[in-house]
Amino acid sequence: MLVALEGLVALGLGVYVAVEAIVGRPESMTSAVAEAGFGLLVGAGLLWVAWGGLFKVERWGRAPSVLTQIFMIPVAVTLIQADRPVLGFPLMAVALVGLGVLLAPPTTKALYGEDG
């Protein structure tokens, strides 16, 4: 569920940046389009992993989900160091909770059975 929520947030941010690029006047249209495209791709990818992998209890869904949580940790640290703790601390909490849930024994048992 958390991975799907992360996918929706990334997708929403990608749409937001795309709309702002079209309606507003970004400093760099190239950067705005790249950021929007990245947000849309990451969001769609996370939703696919959540729906096709985790919701259907497929083993392959855990690896990209764990990798996403690991990538969020340095982003959160960067936000905290850039005097954006209001964004950094919640992102860090989500990443750590996500890792905890994805690596927890019940998740391993659900994905790999008794042999996991």
Side-chain angles (χ1 to χ4, degrees), residues 2 13 19 34 37 43 50 56 60 64 81 85 89 91 100-101 108:
L2 187 60
L13 289 172
V19 169
K56 294 182 179 178
W60 65 265
Q81 291 174 343
F89 284 119
L91 185 62
V101 170
T108 301

Side-chain angles (χ1 to χ4, degrees), residues 39-67:
L40 293 171
L41 286 173
V42 167
L46 286 174
L47 287 172
W48 177 69
V49 166
W51 181 257
L54 297 176
F55 287 159
K56 294 182 179 178
V57 194
E58 298 285 341
R59 291 181 193 174
W60 65 265
R62 183 157 77 166
S65 299
V66 167
L67 191 59

